[in-house]
Amino acid sequence: MKWIFQIIAFSGLVFGPMGVSAQDAIDRYFESFASDPDFTSIVISSKMFELFTKIDVDEPEGKRVKDAISGLKGIRILAYESEEGTSKTANFNSAIKKIGSDYELLMSVNDKSDKVRFFIREEGDTIAELFMVVGGDQNLFLMSLVGDIDLEKMSELSKSMDVGGMNYLKNLDDPKKK
Amino acid sequence: MDSNRIKVLEEKYWKGETNLAEEQELKRYVRDNGKNVSKSLADVFSAASKSDEPTLGRDFDDAFWDAVSGNSGGRSRNFQAFHFMRYAATGIIILGLSIGFYAVIDWGEKPSETVVQSTANDTFTDPEKAFEETKRALFFASQKLNQGVQPVSEIKRFHDSQMSITGADHSQTDKK
C-alpha cells in the first residue's frame, strides 16, 4: 500500500512541474503584466496567420509583408506607456532579466530615447522565435514572433517605408482604438 | 573396544558398507578414544559433529541482551529510526529523480507554439484588422532591426571600399 503512495508522490513531483515548464519568454511577461490594465496585449494566433493567406492585397508592401510572414505562426505583444506625471514605470532591466537562458542576444541598440534588444531562440539552424524588447523612460514594448523567421526579409520591409519610430507604441497605448 | 574390530569398521566405513549402528559405534569410539583410527576419519567425524551442534541466531542474542539490560524500548526506538531513515532515503531519491527529470525535460523543451495555435485568445476576430496590426508590428520591428544593422553595414561598406582601393593600388604597383 505504501508503494502506491510513493508512486503517487513520485508522479506528482515529476509531472507536476512539467505543466509549469511549458513556457516561452513572453509567457512569463503575460503572467506578470497581462492582468495589468495599463498594459496593452495583442495576440495573433497561427490560425489567424492561416487566414492571412486568403486576404487579397494589391499594394507591393502588403505583398512583401505576406511574403515575410509566410513562415510565422504567431505574434504576441505586450506594450506599456506611462502618462506624463505618473510615477509608475515598467522597468526595462527587470524585463530583460526574465528572459530564459535558451534565448540568445542577437542585437542591442541604444539610441537617445530607447533601448532595443533583439533575442532569438534557435531550433537547429533556423530561428524559431524572435523576441524584441524596447524600453524607454516611459514605455516598455515586448514582442514575440514565433515560427520560421527570415531576418533578411523582415529587414527589407522598412527600407521602403517610414513608420515613424515610436508612433506605433503611441497607437498601441489606447486599447479603445482597437 | 577391540582395535581390530575398529579397523574392520573403518575399512567398511570408507567402502560405504557400514550400517547405522556400526557408524554410531565408530563415532562414539572416535569421540571417546580416538586412537587406532586414521586422522582423516577423525577429521570427518569431528566436522560432522560440529555441524550437528545447534547454534543460536542473532535474534536470540539481541533478545538476551535486551532482557539482561532491561532495555526493552531501545530496540523499538532503533526500529522506528531505521524505518524513518528508509522513508527519508526514499523521499530524497524521489526528489532527486524528479529534479533530474524536470531539468532534462525543461532543457529539451521546445517552447510551445500551442499557446498561439488557437484563435480563442486572439485579440482580433477580423483577419484584415489582424493583418494590418501584424504589418505595423513587423514594420516597427524591421525599423528597429535596421537601426542596429545600419552602422554595421556602413562599416562593411567602408571596409569594402578600403579593400578595393588597396587592391587597385596593388594592381597599379604590379603594372609598374
Side-chain angles (χ1 to χ4, degrees):
Chain A
M1 192 66 168
K2 67 188 175 190
W3 289 108
I4 294 172
F5 288 115
Q6 285 176 353
I7 288 166
I8 291 168
F10 177 79
S11 309
L13 283 167
V14 172
F15 299 113
M18 283 171 66
V20 182
S21 68
Q23 285 190 327
D24 52 19
I26 207 165
D27 276 335
R28 298 177 195 124
Y29 299 98
F30 262 83
E31 275 178 9
S32 306
F33 303 128
S35 58
D36 189 333
D38 293 334
F39 272 83
T40 305
S41 65
I42 293 174
V43 177
I44 297 169
S45 68
S46 60
K47 294 287 177 194
M48 192 59 84
F49 273 89
E50 285 172 19
L51 296 175
F52 288 168
T53 56
K54 295 173 185 169
I55 296 173
D56 291 325
V57 284
D58 295 328
E59 74 275 29
E61 72 182 42
K63 285 178 181 171
R64 279 204 307 277
V65 171
K66 276 185 89 169
D67 188 34
I69 64 172
S70 59
L72 287 185
K73 291 176 180 170
I75 293 183
R76 278 182 295 168
I77 295 168
L78 267 176
Y80 169 82
E81 189 162 12
S82 65
E83 290 172 13
E84 293 289 334
T86 57
S87 56
K88 183 180 177 182
T89 53
N91 192 319
F92 175 83
N93 291 331
S94 69
I96 293 290
K97 282 178 189 166
K98 281 181 189 274
I99 295 170
S101 58
D102 43 349
Y103 289 78
E104 192 180 343
L105 181 65
L106 175 74
M107 192 184 291
S108 170
V109 183
N110 291 341
D111 63 22
K112 55 191 172 188
S113 59
D114 297 310
K115 293 174 183 174
V116 184
R117 302 287 182 271
F118 282 96
F119 294 88
I120 53 167
R121 181 174 55 78
E122 290 178 295
E123 282 176 11
D125 295 332
T126 57
I127 298 171
E129 186 181 353
L130 177 71
F131 187 58
M132 177 184 179
V133 184
V134 181
D137 293 335
Q138 302 290 322
N139 55 54
L140 182 66
F141 174 84
L142 310 164
M143 180 163 71
S144 164
L145 303 174
V146 178
D148 189 3
I149 295 157
D150 188 334
L151 287 178
E152 201 172 338
K153 282 181 185 170
M154 190 177 291
S155 170
E156 289 296 320
L157 284 178
S158 68
K159 286 184 179 170
S160 59
M161 184 179 173
D162 182 14
V163 290
M166 294 300 278
N167 286 342
Y168 179 73
L169 292 186
K170 283 175 184 168
N171 291 333
L172 275 174
D173 193 39
D174 186 0
K176 289 171 189 167
K177 289 179 185 175
K178 301 281 162 257
Chain B
M1 193 177 284
D2 186 3
S3 63
N4 287 333
R5 175 170 167 72
I6 292 302
K7 282 184 182 171
V8 171
L9 283 179
E10 186 180 351
E11 276 175 20
K12 281 178 76 177
Y13 179 79
W14 288 123
K15 287 176 186 171
E17 293 170 359
T18 49
N19 56 31
L20 282 175
E22 288 170 336
E23 202 170 311
Q24 286 300 325
E25 189 184 345
L26 200 56
K27 273 186 186 176
R28 271 199 303 278
Y29 179 81
V30 170
R31 192 183 61 212
D32 297 341
N33 194 332
K35 292 177 183 173
N36 300 323
V37 290
S38 66
K39 189 179 179 303
S40 52
L41 186 70
D43 289 343
V44 166
F45 284 156
S46 165
S49 66
K50 276 181 188 168
S51 68
D52 289 345
E53 283 174 10
T55 53
L56 294 173
R58 186 183 172 82
D59 290 346
F60 177 81
D61 285 350
D62 290 344
F64 173 76
W65 286 114
D66 282 346
V68 167
S69 62
N71 187 20
S72 58
R75 191 164 179 273
S76 171
R77 278 200 294 276
N78 284 344
F79 185 74
Q80 285 173 356
F82 169 73
H83 272 276
F84 171 75
M85 292 300 283
R86 226 174 66 169
Y87 285 119
T90 310
I92 289 167
I93 289 168
I94 289 172
L95 193 65
L97 280 174
S98 61
I99 290 169
F101 270 104
Y102 174 59
V104 168
I105 289 163
D106 194 41
W107 190 29
E109 184 78 40
K110 309 290 180 199
S112 60
E113 293 160 4
T114 54
V115 193
V116 285
Q117 276 174 354
S118 158
T119 52
N121 296 324
D122 259 299
T123 308
F124 302 96
T125 49
D126 182 357
E128 288 194 9
K129 283 184 183 170
F131 183 72
E132 282 303 311
E133 194 61 47
T134 302
K135 195 164 85 174
R136 290 191 327 120
L138 283 185
F139 275 127
F140 177 63
S142 173
Q143 193 198 36
K144 291 292 174 190
L145 203 60
N146 284 331
Q147 268 185 14
V149 172
Q150 200 176 0
V152 179
S153 58
E154 278 173 12
I155 291 167
K156 187 174 181 301
R157 200 170 58 196
F158 174 73
H159 177 258
D160 289 347
S161 46
Q162 196 182 26
M163 287 302 287
S164 65
I165 291 165
T166 317
D169 284 346
H170 278 308
S171 60
Q172 281 171 6
T173 316
D174 289 343
K175 281 177 189 174
K176 284 174 188 175

